[in-house]
Amino acid sequence: MQQPMTNPPMPDTKWSAGSLRIVSQTITVDEISAVLGIEPDDYFEHGSLEIACNPDTFRRKRSVWILKSGLDSDRWLQEHAEALVGRLGERRESLGRLAESCELELFLGFGSENGQGGCVLPARLLTEIGSLGLNVVLDLYPPDDIAQLDE
Protein backbone atom coordinates (compact mmCIF):
# COMPACT_ATOMS: atom_id res chain seq x y z
CA MET A 1 0.00 0.00 0.00
CA GLN A 2 1.25 3.42 -0.91
CA GLN A 3 2.05 5.77 1.98
CA PRO A 4 -0.79 8.18 2.89
CA MET A 5 -0.52 11.61 1.32
CA THR A 6 0.37 14.43 3.68
CA ASN A 7 -2.30 17.09 3.29
CA PRO A 8 -2.78 20.25 5.30
CA PRO A 9 -5.42 19.95 8.03
CA MET A 10 -9.04 20.58 7.08
CA PRO A 11 -10.56 23.99 7.91
CA ASP A 12 -11.84 24.43 11.47
CA THR A 13 -15.40 24.38 10.14
CA LYS A 14 -15.11 20.71 9.15
CA TRP A 15 -14.28 17.41 10.84
CA SER A 16 -13.91 13.79 9.81
CA ALA A 17 -13.37 10.41 11.45
CA GLY A 18 -12.74 6.84 10.37
CA SER A 19 -12.98 3.40 11.91
CA LEU A 20 -13.31 -0.26 11.10
CA ARG A 21 -16.50 -1.79 12.50
CA ILE A 22 -16.95 -5.53 12.69
CA VAL A 23 -20.45 -6.61 13.65
CA SER A 24 -21.66 -10.14 14.44
CA GLN A 25 -24.61 -11.94 15.99
CA THR A 26 -22.54 -15.07 16.61
CA ILE A 27 -18.90 -14.14 17.26
CA THR A 28 -17.73 -12.40 20.44
CA VAL A 29 -15.47 -9.37 20.63
CA ASP A 30 -12.70 -11.54 22.11
CA GLU A 31 -12.97 -14.00 19.21
CA ILE A 32 -12.74 -11.16 16.67
CA SER A 33 -9.65 -9.83 18.47
CA ALA A 34 -8.07 -13.28 18.47
CA VAL A 35 -8.61 -13.76 14.72
CA LEU A 36 -7.19 -10.32 13.86
CA GLY A 37 -4.47 -10.18 16.51
CA ILE A 38 -5.59 -6.62 17.36
CA GLU A 39 -7.45 -5.28 20.38
CA PRO A 40 -10.36 -2.93 19.61
CA ASP A 41 -10.43 0.73 20.58
CA ASP A 42 -14.07 0.33 21.56
CA TYR A 43 -16.61 -2.51 21.59
CA PHE A 44 -20.08 -3.65 22.59
CA GLU A 45 -20.72 -7.28 23.43
CA HIS A 46 -23.76 -9.28 22.28
CA GLY A 47 -26.25 -9.47 25.17
CA SER A 48 -24.86 -6.44 27.02
CA LEU A 49 -27.13 -3.63 28.12
CA GLU A 50 -27.27 -0.54 25.92
CA ILE A 51 -26.61 1.53 29.06
CA ALA A 52 -24.66 -0.62 31.51
CA CYS A 53 -25.99 1.06 34.66
CA ASN A 54 -29.67 0.93 33.56
CA PRO A 55 -31.20 -2.58 33.60
CA ASP A 56 -34.30 -1.26 31.78
CA THR A 57 -32.43 -0.60 28.53
CA PHE A 58 -32.43 -3.20 25.77
CA ARG A 59 -29.82 -5.90 25.39
CA ARG A 60 -27.66 -5.71 22.30
CA LYS A 61 -28.40 -8.27 19.62
CA ARG A 62 -24.94 -8.08 18.05
CA SER A 63 -21.32 -7.72 19.08
CA VAL A 64 -19.59 -4.64 17.67
CA TRP A 65 -15.77 -4.43 17.46
CA ILE A 66 -14.34 -0.98 16.60
CA LEU A 67 -10.84 0.02 15.51
CA LYS A 68 -10.31 3.78 15.08
CA SER A 69 -8.00 5.29 12.49
CA GLY A 70 -5.90 6.97 15.18
CA LEU A 71 -5.95 10.30 13.33
CA ASP A 72 -7.28 13.62 14.62
CA SER A 73 -10.62 14.94 13.39
CA ASP A 74 -8.91 17.67 11.34
CA ARG A 75 -7.55 15.07 8.88
CA TRP A 76 -9.29 14.32 5.56
CA LEU A 77 -11.51 11.26 5.06
CA GLN A 78 -9.02 9.81 2.58
CA GLU A 79 -6.32 9.91 5.27
CA HIS A 80 -8.53 8.07 7.78
CA ALA A 81 -9.25 5.38 5.16
CA GLU A 82 -5.56 5.08 4.21
CA ALA A 83 -4.52 4.75 7.86
CA LEU A 84 -6.98 1.93 8.46
CA VAL A 85 -6.14 0.12 5.23
CA GLY A 86 -2.47 0.39 6.16
CA ARG A 87 -3.11 -1.28 9.51
CA LEU A 88 -5.26 -4.03 7.98
CA GLY A 89 -3.40 -4.87 4.77
CA GLU A 90 -1.53 -7.82 6.24
CA ARG A 91 -4.72 -9.21 7.78
CA ARG A 92 -6.56 -9.90 4.52
CA GLU A 93 -6.98 -13.64 5.24
CA SER A 94 -8.19 -12.98 8.78
CA LEU A 95 -10.73 -10.45 7.52
CA GLY A 96 -11.87 -13.01 4.95
CA ARG A 97 -12.51 -15.58 7.69
CA LEU A 98 -14.46 -13.01 9.70
CA ALA A 99 -16.51 -11.98 6.65
CA GLU A 100 -18.13 -15.43 6.67
CA SER A 101 -20.11 -14.52 9.81
CA CYS A 102 -19.57 -10.78 10.32
CA GLU A 103 -20.30 -7.47 8.63
CA LEU A 104 -17.06 -5.61 7.88
CA GLU A 105 -17.43 -1.84 7.49
CA LEU A 106 -15.02 0.99 6.82
CA PHE A 107 -17.02 3.67 8.63
CA LEU A 108 -16.23 7.24 7.56
CA GLY A 109 -17.88 10.27 9.17
CA PHE A 110 -17.86 13.87 7.95
CA GLY A 111 -19.37 17.09 9.29
CA SER A 112 -19.31 20.70 8.14
CA GLU A 113 -20.69 23.89 9.68
CA ASN A 114 -21.69 25.26 6.27
CA GLY A 115 -22.95 22.07 4.63
CA GLN A 116 -20.16 22.11 2.06
CA GLY A 117 -17.42 19.59 1.69
CA GLY A 118 -16.42 16.41 0.06
CA CYS A 119 -13.58 14.02 -0.44
CA VAL A 120 -11.82 11.98 -3.05
CA LEU A 121 -11.22 8.30 -2.47
CA PRO A 122 -8.72 7.40 -5.22
CA ALA A 123 -9.28 4.30 -7.32
CA ARG A 124 -6.18 2.59 -5.87
CA LEU A 125 -7.55 3.12 -2.33
CA LEU A 126 -11.02 1.86 -3.28
CA THR A 127 -9.40 -1.19 -4.89
CA GLU A 128 -7.49 -1.90 -1.66
CA ILE A 129 -10.63 -1.41 0.47
CA GLY A 130 -12.51 -3.82 -1.81
CA SER A 131 -9.73 -6.40 -1.69
CA LEU A 132 -10.01 -6.37 2.12
CA GLY A 133 -13.74 -7.16 1.82
CA LEU A 134 -14.80 -3.93 3.52
CA ASN A 135 -18.09 -2.20 2.82
CA VAL A 136 -17.79 1.60 2.91
CA VAL A 137 -20.27 3.49 5.11
CA LEU A 138 -20.38 7.28 4.73
CA ASP A 139 -21.95 8.96 7.76
CA LEU A 140 -22.61 12.60 6.84
CA TYR A 141 -23.58 15.25 9.39
CA PRO A 142 -25.36 18.40 8.22
CA PRO A 143 -24.77 21.78 9.84
CA ASP A 144 -26.93 22.49 12.89
CA ASP A 145 -28.98 25.25 11.24
CA ILE A 146 -30.05 22.93 8.38
CA ALA A 147 -30.93 20.17 10.87
CA GLN A 148 -33.10 22.68 12.78
CA LEU A 149 -34.99 23.59 9.59
CA ASP A 150 -36.19 19.99 9.37
CA GLU A 151 -37.71 20.05 12.86
Side-chain angles (χ1 to χ4, degrees), residues 1 4-5 77-87 124-125:
M1 174 79 191
M5 293 173 43
L77 280 179
Q78 174 184 342
E79 293 175 283
H80 288 279
E82 288 172 335
L84 286 159
V85 166
R87 292 180 71 184
R124 62 155 180 82
L125 178 58

Side-chain angles (χ1 to χ4, degrees), residues 20-97:
L20 169 68
R21 289 192 316 189
I22 301 177
V23 180
S24 178
Q25 292 181 332
T26 58
I27 296 178
T28 68
V29 168
D30 286 342
E31 290 168 328
I32 294 169
S33 295
V35 170
L36 287 177
I38 304 173
E39 291 299 315
D41 293 313
D42 200 3
Y43 67 90
F44 305 99
E45 196 65 74
H46 176 268
S48 65
L49 292 170
E50 177 189 27
I51 301 172
C53 61
N54 183 350
D56 295 330
T57 59
F58 73 89
R59 294 202 175 269
R60 297 178 190 278
K61 295 181 181 176
R62 308 178 304 168
S63 294
V64 181
W65 186 99
I66 301 167
L67 181 69
K68 297 178 183 176
S69 71
L71 301 178
D72 292 333
S73 63
D74 66 347
R75 305 315 306 173
W76 299 91
L77 280 179
Q78 174 184 342
E79 293 175 283
H80 288 279
E82 288 172 335
L84 286 159
V85 166
R87 292 180 71 184
L88 299 168
E90 295 180 8
R91 293 176 167 83
R92 187 171 274 103
E93 289 181 28
S94 300
L95 289 167
R97 286 196 309 270

Side-chain angles (χ1 to χ4, degrees), residues 94-136:
S94 300
L95 289 167
R97 286 196 309 270
L98 289 170
E100 295 173 10
S101 56
C102 300
E103 297 169 33
L104 308 177
E105 301 174 337
L106 179 64
F107 192 82
L108 302 172
F110 176 81
S112 171
E113 287 180 11
N114 64 7
Q116 297 295 309
C119 71
V120 173
L121 298 177
R124 62 155 180 82
L125 178 58
L126 291 171
T127 299
E128 187 68 18
I129 292 168
S131 75
L132 292 171
L134 306 178
N135 294 314
V136 177

